Amino acid sequence: MSSLPVRIVTDSGCDLPCALIEALKITVVPLVVRFGSEVYSNGELSREEFWEKAKAAPPYPQTSQPSVGAFEKVFERLTGEGASVVCLTLTSKHSGTYNSAWTASQRFAGLVHVIDTASLSLGQGLQVLAAARAAAAGRIAEEIVDLAKNLRERTKLFILLDTVEYLRRGGRADGLMPILDRVARALRIKPILNLVEGQLSLLTLARSHTNGLARVRREVERLMPVEQLAVVHSRFAEVAADVAQNLAELTGLSSSQMLFAETGPILAAHAGPKVIGVAAVQSEDKSEK
């Protein structure tokens, strides 16, 4: 086992607030956002700039994973500083980011550990946050890997969409689109997605945002007790704040046990505006039953 200090690396799909990233010394490798021939590393465009471009589309926003070289550069710097690395990426079922990180890690045998979080946005972010806190507490790499894998099994993410147009254009959920297209066009419903072994899946359909949010609440209630919650949104801050308050009252969690953020361009490019996402970490005792 390695007793080296551990540094945590992730990608910009995690949607963690900048203050937490800086405080816990998390290194974030940016994904790429494209508008036709215009290419930006995630973070080069503010949220406002991204949405201005998205509203003026086409060309529609597309995303792609970081290069192997981008991860190699980060791993080389951190291991050169005398650290081992635990890297947590967004789900490999919808991005090549994990493969880029894993390929890069092969140059650093035994020093870099790459984990597929099987999630995205704050579902990924909660796992990254736990790993970073464990690293800050002095846990070794092998312990952090075990912790992250355990947390991965207990993390659930629900995404309420306002429209399926961005999902169709993004091309990351082609398997879902035939059924979503049929029902969305006919009924103007709001799909609720979840992740099953890292794969986006249709959980159910709601007739309205209100009904959709009620269903998400019931899903969280089924998971209780939960030890952490996160609410993420796109251009829907007021509604998302109400959702966070409602779920805090339901679960009894304090503000320190909850995350709240607006998603960046990576999820927004595929989900569109007026999206609400809720990530919940089920209690370990409950999940084992």
Side-chain angles (χ1 to χ4, degrees), residues 69-104:
F71 280 107
E72 284 183 337
K73 185 176 180 180
V74 167
F75 296 160
E76 186 168 35
R77 174 173 61 82
L78 295 176
T79 57
E81 293 172 358
S84 59
V85 173
V86 175
C87 175
L88 300 96
T89 74
L90 60 80
T91 174
S92 62
K93 297 294 178 65
H94 293 283
S95 171
T97 302
Y98 170 82
N99 288 335
S100 287
W102 184 87
T103 301

mmCIF file of all heavy atoms in Angstrom, residues 69-104:
data_model
loop_
_atom_site.group_PDB
_atom_site.id
_atom_site.type_symbol
_atom_site.label_atom_id
_atom_site.label_comp_id
_atom_site.label_asym_id
_atom_site.label_seq_id
_atom_site.Cartn_x
_atom_site.Cartn_y
_atom_site.Cartn_z
ATOM 1 N N GLY A 69 -3.771 13.381 -23.369
ATOM 2 C CA GLY A 69 -2.666 14.272 -23.007
ATOM 3 C C GLY A 69 -3.010 15.244 -21.900
ATOM 4 O O GLY A 69 -2.153 15.581 -21.068
ATOM 5 N N ALA A 70 -4.263 15.697 -21.867
ATOM 6 C CA ALA A 70 -4.676 16.615 -20.802
ATOM 7 C C ALA A 70 -4.589 15.941 -19.442
ATOM 8 O O ALA A 70 -4.141 16.543 -18.449
ATOM 9 C CB ALA A 70 -6.099 17.110 -21.061
ATOM 10 N N PHE A 71 -5.011 14.674 -19.370
ATOM 11 C CA PHE A 71 -4.898 13.939 -18.111
ATOM 12 C C PHE A 71 -3.441 13.611 -17.788
ATOM 13 O O PHE A 71 -3.008 13.701 -16.629
ATOM 14 C CB PHE A 71 -5.725 12.652 -18.165
ATOM 15 C CG PHE A 71 -7.193 12.864 -17.916
ATOM 16 C CD1 PHE A 71 -8.102 12.780 -18.956
ATOM 17 C CD2 PHE A 71 -7.665 13.141 -16.640
ATOM 18 C CE1 PHE A 71 -9.468 12.973 -18.729
ATOM 19 C CE2 PHE A 71 -9.022 13.341 -16.405
ATOM 20 C CZ PHE A 71 -9.922 13.251 -17.447
ATOM 21 N N GLU A 72 -2.665 13.229 -18.796
ATOM 22 C CA GLU A 72 -1.250 12.916 -18.561
ATOM 23 C C GLU A 72 -0.523 14.106 -17.947
ATOM 24 O O GLU A 72 0.291 13.944 -17.023
ATOM 25 C CB GLU A 72 -0.578 12.514 -19.869
ATOM 26 C CG GLU A 72 -0.898 11.122 -20.339
ATOM 27 C CD GLU A 72 -0.135 10.763 -21.596
ATOM 28 O OE1 GLU A 72 0.277 11.690 -22.333
ATOM 29 O OE2 GLU A 72 0.049 9.560 -21.846
ATOM 30 N N LYS A 73 -0.814 15.289 -18.454
ATOM 31 C CA LYS A 73 -0.152 16.495 -17.947
ATOM 32 C C LYS A 73 -0.456 16.708 -16.470
ATOM 33 O O LYS A 73 0.441 17.015 -15.668
ATOM 34 C CB LYS A 73 -0.604 17.706 -18.768
ATOM 35 C CG LYS A 73 0.106 18.999 -18.416
ATOM 36 C CD LYS A 73 -0.334 20.124 -19.355
ATOM 37 C CE LYS A 73 0.376 21.422 -19.010
ATOM 38 N NZ LYS A 73 -0.046 22.527 -19.919
ATOM 39 N N VAL A 74 -1.714 16.523 -16.089
ATOM 40 C CA VAL A 74 -2.110 16.694 -14.688
ATOM 41 C C VAL A 74 -1.485 15.609 -13.819
ATOM 42 O O VAL A 74 -0.932 15.886 -12.745
ATOM 43 C CB VAL A 74 -3.647 16.674 -14.571
ATOM 44 C CG1 VAL A 74 -4.084 16.519 -13.117
ATOM 45 C CG2 VAL A 74 -4.239 17.947 -15.151
ATOM 46 N N PHE A 75 -1.568 14.351 -14.277
ATOM 47 C CA PHE A 75 -1.002 13.248 -13.487
ATOM 48 C C PHE A 75 0.503 13.408 -13.302
ATOM 49 O O PHE A 75 1.045 13.131 -12.225
ATOM 50 C CB PHE A 75 -1.304 11.905 -14.159
ATOM 51 C CG PHE A 75 -2.762 11.552 -14.255
ATOM 52 C CD1 PHE A 75 -3.189 10.599 -15.176
ATOM 53 C CD2 PHE A 75 -3.711 12.165 -13.445
ATOM 54 C CE1 PHE A 75 -4.539 10.256 -15.272
ATOM 55 C CE2 PHE A 75 -5.056 11.841 -13.536
ATOM 56 C CZ PHE A 75 -5.469 10.881 -14.453
ATOM 57 N N GLU A 76 1.185 13.857 -14.356
ATOM 58 C CA GLU A 76 2.634 14.031 -14.275
ATOM 59 C C GLU A 76 2.995 15.106 -13.251
ATOM 60 O O GLU A 76 3.930 14.938 -12.451
ATOM 61 C CB GLU A 76 3.183 14.403 -15.654
ATOM 62 C CG GLU A 76 4.697 14.463 -15.706
ATOM 63 C CD GLU A 76 5.209 14.551 -17.135
ATOM 64 O OE1 GLU A 76 4.534 15.196 -17.972
ATOM 65 O OE2 GLU A 76 6.270 13.974 -17.403
ATOM 66 N N ARG A 77 2.237 16.203 -13.259
ATOM 67 C CA ARG A 77 2.522 17.280 -12.305
ATOM 68 C C ARG A 77 2.298 16.818 -10.868
ATOM 69 O O ARG A 77 3.153 17.041 -9.995
ATOM 70 C CB ARG A 77 1.640 18.491 -12.596
ATOM 71 C CG ARG A 77 1.770 19.607 -11.571
ATOM 72 C CD ARG A 77 1.013 20.844 -11.973
ATOM 73 N NE ARG A 77 -0.416 20.622 -12.112
ATOM 74 C CZ ARG A 77 -1.268 20.623 -11.082
ATOM 75 N NH1 ARG A 77 -0.824 20.807 -9.843
ATOM 76 N NH2 ARG A 77 -2.558 20.454 -11.285
ATOM 77 N N LEU A 78 1.197 16.164 -10.605
ATOM 78 C CA LEU A 78 0.864 15.791 -9.230
ATOM 79 C C LEU A 78 1.765 14.678 -8.700
ATOM 80 O O LEU A 78 2.212 14.732 -7.543
ATOM 81 C CB LEU A 78 -0.610 15.368 -9.140
ATOM 82 C CG LEU A 78 -1.624 16.487 -9.434
ATOM 83 C CD1 LEU A 78 -3.039 15.943 -9.425
ATOM 84 C CD2 LEU A 78 -1.488 17.628 -8.428
ATOM 85 N N THR A 79 2.036 13.673 -9.520
ATOM 86 C CA THR A 79 2.952 12.621 -9.055
ATOM 87 C C THR A 79 4.364 13.164 -8.913
ATOM 88 O O THR A 79 5.117 12.740 -8.034
ATOM 89 C CB THR A 79 2.938 11.410 -10.011
ATOM 90 O OG1 THR A 79 3.282 11.838 -11.334
ATOM 91 C CG2 THR A 79 1.568 10.744 -10.020
ATOM 92 N N GLY A 80 4.721 14.138 -9.761
ATOM 93 C CA GLY A 80 6.037 14.771 -9.643
ATOM 94 C C GLY A 80 6.189 15.559 -8.367
ATOM 95 O O GLY A 80 7.314 15.789 -7.895
ATOM 96 N N GLU A 81 5.064 15.965 -7.790
ATOM 97 C CA GLU A 81 5.074 16.673 -6.507
ATOM 98 C C GLU A 81 5.086 15.707 -5.323
ATOM 99 O O GLU A 81 5.014 16.129 -4.171
ATOM 100 C CB GLU A 81 3.859 17.597 -6.414
ATOM 101 C CG GLU A 81 3.900 18.757 -7.405
ATOM 102 C CD GLU A 81 2.607 19.548 -7.448
ATOM 103 O OE1 GLU A 81 1.641 19.167 -6.731
ATOM 104 O OE2 GLU A 81 2.535 20.537 -8.201
ATOM 105 N N GLY A 82 5.154 14.403 -5.621
ATOM 106 C CA GLY A 82 5.254 13.404 -4.552
ATOM 107 C C GLY A 82 3.921 12.878 -4.063
ATOM 108 O O GLY A 82 3.850 12.315 -2.963
ATOM 109 N N ALA A 83 2.873 13.003 -4.858
ATOM 110 C CA ALA A 83 1.548 12.533 -4.455
ATOM 111 C C ALA A 83 1.120 11.346 -5.294
ATOM 112 O O ALA A 83 1.617 11.132 -6.406
ATOM 113 C CB ALA A 83 0.523 13.649 -4.604
ATOM 114 N N SER A 84 0.211 10.560 -4.750
ATOM 115 C CA SER A 84 -0.529 9.615 -5.575
ATOM 116 C C SER A 84 -1.852 10.278 -5.936
ATOM 117 O O SER A 84 -2.244 11.285 -5.335
ATOM 118 C CB SER A 84 -0.750 8.291 -4.844
ATOM 119 O OG SER A 84 -1.464 8.484 -3.643
ATOM 120 N N VAL A 85 -2.557 9.737 -6.927
ATOM 121 C CA VAL A 85 -3.731 10.397 -7.477
ATOM 122 C C VAL A 85 -4.914 9.437 -7.507
ATOM 123 O O VAL A 85 -4.769 8.265 -7.880
ATOM 124 C CB VAL A 85 -3.450 10.882 -8.922
ATOM 125 C CG1 VAL A 85 -4.725 11.427 -9.574
ATOM 126 C CG2 VAL A 85 -2.352 11.943 -8.921
ATOM 127 N N VAL A 86 -6.072 9.942 -7.104
ATOM 128 C CA VAL A 86 -7.334 9.249 -7.339
ATOM 129 C C VAL A 86 -8.157 10.156 -8.247
ATOM 130 O O VAL A 86 -8.438 11.305 -7.900
ATOM 131 C CB VAL A 86 -8.087 8.947 -6.035
ATOM 132 C CG1 VAL A 86 -9.455 8.324 -6.345
ATOM 133 C CG2 VAL A 86 -7.267 8.010 -5.148
ATOM 134 N N CYS A 87 -8.516 9.646 -9.414
ATOM 135 C CA CYS A 87 -9.235 10.423 -10.422
ATOM 136 C C CYS A 87 -10.635 9.834 -10.597
ATOM 137 O O CYS A 87 -10.782 8.640 -10.884
ATOM 138 C CB CYS A 87 -8.471 10.389 -11.737
ATOM 139 S SG CYS A 87 -9.319 11.188 -13.124
ATOM 140 N N LEU A 88 -11.650 10.651 -10.423
ATOM 141 C CA LEU A 88 -13.039 10.220 -10.542
ATOM 142 C C LEU A 88 -13.674 10.926 -11.731
ATOM 143 O O LEU A 88 -13.711 12.158 -11.781
ATOM 144 C CB LEU A 88 -13.817 10.545 -9.265
ATOM 145 C CG LEU A 88 -13.305 9.886 -7.974
ATOM 146 C CD1 LEU A 88 -12.382 10.858 -7.228
ATOM 147 C CD2 LEU A 88 -14.452 9.470 -7.070
ATOM 148 N N THR A 89 -14.195 10.148 -12.674
ATOM 149 C CA THR A 89 -14.732 10.725 -13.909
ATOM 150 C C THR A 89 -16.238 10.513 -14.024
ATOM 151 O O THR A 89 -16.824 9.666 -13.362
ATOM 152 C CB THR A 89 -14.083 10.088 -15.148
ATOM 153 O OG1 THR A 89 -14.607 8.760 -15.338
ATOM 154 C CG2 THR A 89 -12.579 10.021 -15.005
ATOM 155 N N LEU A 90 -16.827 11.284 -14.936
ATOM 156 C CA LEU A 90 -18.247 11.083 -15.205
ATOM 157 C C LEU A 90 -18.453 9.739 -15.896
ATOM 158 O O LEU A 90 -17.517 9.106 -16.373
ATOM 159 C CB LEU A 90 -18.840 12.239 -16.003
ATOM 160 C CG LEU A 90 -18.330 12.611 -17.390
ATOM 161 C CD1 LEU A 90 -18.893 11.714 -18.466
ATOM 162 C CD2 LEU A 90 -18.691 14.049 -17.692
ATOM 163 N N THR A 91 -19.695 9.290 -15.925
ATOM 164 C CA THR A 91 -20.015 7.943 -16.385
ATOM 165 C C THR A 91 -19.426 7.609 -17.751
ATOM 166 O O THR A 91 -19.562 8.373 -18.713
ATOM 167 C CB THR A 91 -21.538 7.717 -16.414
ATOM 168 O OG1 THR A 91 -21.801 6.427 -17.001
ATOM 169 C CG2 THR A 91 -22.279 8.781 -17.193
ATOM 170 N N SER A 92 -18.820 6.454 -17.836
ATOM 171 C CA SER A 92 -18.227 6.002 -19.094
ATOM 172 C C SER A 92 -19.285 5.583 -20.104
ATOM 173 O O SER A 92 -18.975 5.404 -21.290
ATOM 174 C CB SER A 92 -17.286 4.818 -18.837
ATOM 175 O OG SER A 92 -17.999 3.715 -18.297
ATOM 176 N N LYS A 93 -20.549 5.436 -19.666
ATOM 177 C CA LYS A 93 -21.612 5.035 -20.591
ATOM 178 C C LYS A 93 -22.026 6.174 -21.524
ATOM 179 O O LYS A 93 -22.672 5.937 -22.540
ATOM 180 C CB LYS A 93 -22.827 4.545 -19.810
ATOM 181 C CG LYS A 93 -22.570 3.306 -18.956
ATOM 182 C CD LYS A 93 -22.267 2.091 -19.803
ATOM 183 C CE LYS A 93 -21.972 0.871 -18.952
ATOM 184 N NZ LYS A 93 -23.124 0.413 -18.165
ATOM 185 N N HIS A 94 -21.662 7.415 -21.163
ATOM 186 C CA HIS A 94 -22.072 8.556 -21.988
ATOM 187 C C HIS A 94 -20.923 9.489 -22.330
ATOM 188 O O HIS A 94 -21.145 10.568 -22.875
ATOM 189 C CB HIS A 94 -23.184 9.341 -21.284
ATOM 190 C CG HIS A 94 -24.464 8.579 -21.178
ATOM 191 N ND1 HIS A 94 -25.332 8.414 -22.235
ATOM 192 C CD2 HIS A 94 -25.006 7.895 -20.146
ATOM 193 C CE1 HIS A 94 -26.361 7.681 -21.855
ATOM 194 N NE2 HIS A 94 -26.190 7.345 -20.599
ATOM 195 N N SER A 95 -19.700 9.106 -21.998
ATOM 196 C CA SER A 95 -18.546 9.954 -22.298
ATOM 197 C C SER A 95 -17.300 9.096 -22.385
ATOM 198 O O SER A 95 -17.179 8.075 -21.693
ATOM 199 C CB SER A 95 -18.365 11.019 -21.199
ATOM 200 O OG SER A 95 -17.142 11.717 -21.364
ATOM 201 N N GLY A 96 -16.368 9.533 -23.194
ATOM 202 C CA GLY A 96 -15.077 8.865 -23.283
ATOM 203 C C GLY A 96 -14.073 9.370 -22.267
ATOM 204 O O GLY A 96 -12.898 9.007 -22.316
ATOM 205 N N THR A 97 -14.530 10.188 -21.308
ATOM 206 C CA THR A 97 -13.606 10.787 -20.332
ATOM 207 C C THR A 97 -12.890 9.737 -19.499
ATOM 208 O O THR A 97 -11.678 9.825 -19.255
ATOM 209 C CB THR A 97 -14.374 11.762 -19.423
ATOM 210 O OG1 THR A 97 -15.001 12.758 -20.236
ATOM 211 C CG2 THR A 97 -13.449 12.446 -18.439
ATOM 212 N N TYR A 98 -13.624 8.735 -19.027
ATOM 213 C CA TYR A 98 -12.997 7.674 -18.233
ATOM 214 C C TYR A 98 -11.897 6.990 -19.041
ATOM 215 O O TYR A 98 -10.794 6.755 -18.534
ATOM 216 C CB TYR A 98 -14.035 6.642 -17.786
ATOM 217 C CG TYR A 98 -13.421 5.408 -17.168
ATOM 218 C CD1 TYR A 98 -13.017 5.402 -15.835
ATOM 219 C CD2 TYR A 98 -13.209 4.251 -17.931
ATOM 220 C CE1 TYR A 98 -12.430 4.278 -15.268
ATOM 221 C CE2 TYR A 98 -12.621 3.134 -17.377
ATOM 222 C CZ TYR A 98 -12.238 3.149 -16.044
ATOM 223 O OH TYR A 98 -11.651 2.036 -15.491
ATOM 224 N N ASN A 99 -12.171 6.691 -20.293
ATOM 225 C CA ASN A 99 -11.164 6.019 -21.124
ATOM 226 C C ASN A 99 -9.921 6.882 -21.318
ATOM 227 O O ASN A 99 -8.792 6.379 -21.305
ATOM 228 C CB ASN A 99 -11.764 5.648 -22.482
ATOM 229 C CG ASN A 99 -12.753 4.503 -22.381
ATOM 230 O OD1 ASN A 99 -12.671 3.695 -21.466
ATOM 231 N ND2 ASN A 99 -13.682 4.441 -23.316
ATOM 232 N N SER A 100 -10.126 8.189 -21.491
ATOM 233 C CA SER A 100 -8.972 9.091 -21.620
ATOM 234 C C SER A 100 -8.134 9.068 -20.342
ATOM 235 O O SER A 100 -6.896 8.973 -20.397
ATOM 236 C CB SER A 100 -9.441 10.525 -21.895
ATOM 237 O OG SER A 100 -9.935 10.668 -23.200
ATOM 238 N N ALA A 101 -8.806 9.160 -19.195
ATOM 239 C CA ALA A 101 -8.083 9.177 -17.916
ATOM 240 C C ALA A 101 -7.394 7.843 -17.662
ATOM 241 O O ALA A 101 -6.237 7.803 -17.201
ATOM 242 C CB ALA A 101 -9.053 9.509 -16.780
ATOM 243 N N TRP A 102 -8.093 6.741 -17.929
ATOM 244 C CA TRP A 102 -7.500 5.419 -17.700
ATOM 245 C C TRP A 102 -6.276 5.209 -18.582
ATOM 246 O O TRP A 102 -5.241 4.719 -18.131
ATOM 247 C CB TRP A 102 -8.524 4.324 -17.946
ATOM 248 C CG TRP A 102 -7.993 2.958 -17.619
ATOM 249 C CD1 TRP A 102 -8.010 2.332 -16.409
ATOM 250 C CD2 TRP A 102 -7.318 2.079 -18.535
ATOM 251 N NE1 TRP A 102 -7.394 1.104 -16.507
ATOM 252 C CE2 TRP A 102 -6.962 0.920 -17.796
ATOM 253 C CE3 TRP A 102 -7.006 2.151 -19.892
ATOM 254 C CZ2 TRP A 102 -6.287 -0.146 -18.378
ATOM 255 C CZ3 TRP A 102 -6.321 1.084 -20.472
ATOM 256 C CH2 TRP A 102 -5.972 -0.056 -19.714
ATOM 257 N N THR A 103 -6.387 5.579 -19.843
ATOM 258 C CA THR A 103 -5.251 5.431 -20.758
ATOM 259 C C THR A 103 -4.063 6.252 -20.265
ATOM 260 O O THR A 103 -2.918 5.778 -20.260
ATOM 261 C CB THR A 103 -5.648 5.867 -22.176
ATOM 262 O OG1 THR A 103 -6.744 5.064 -22.624
ATOM 263 C CG2 THR A 103 -4.483 5.730 -23.142
ATOM 264 N N ALA A 104 -4.335 7.485 -19.832
ATOM 265 C CA ALA A 104 -3.259 8.335 -19.314
ATOM 266 C C ALA A 104 -2.625 7.743 -18.063
ATOM 267 O O ALA A 104 -1.410 7.876 -17.850
ATOM 268 C CB ALA A 104 -3.808 9.724 -19.013
#
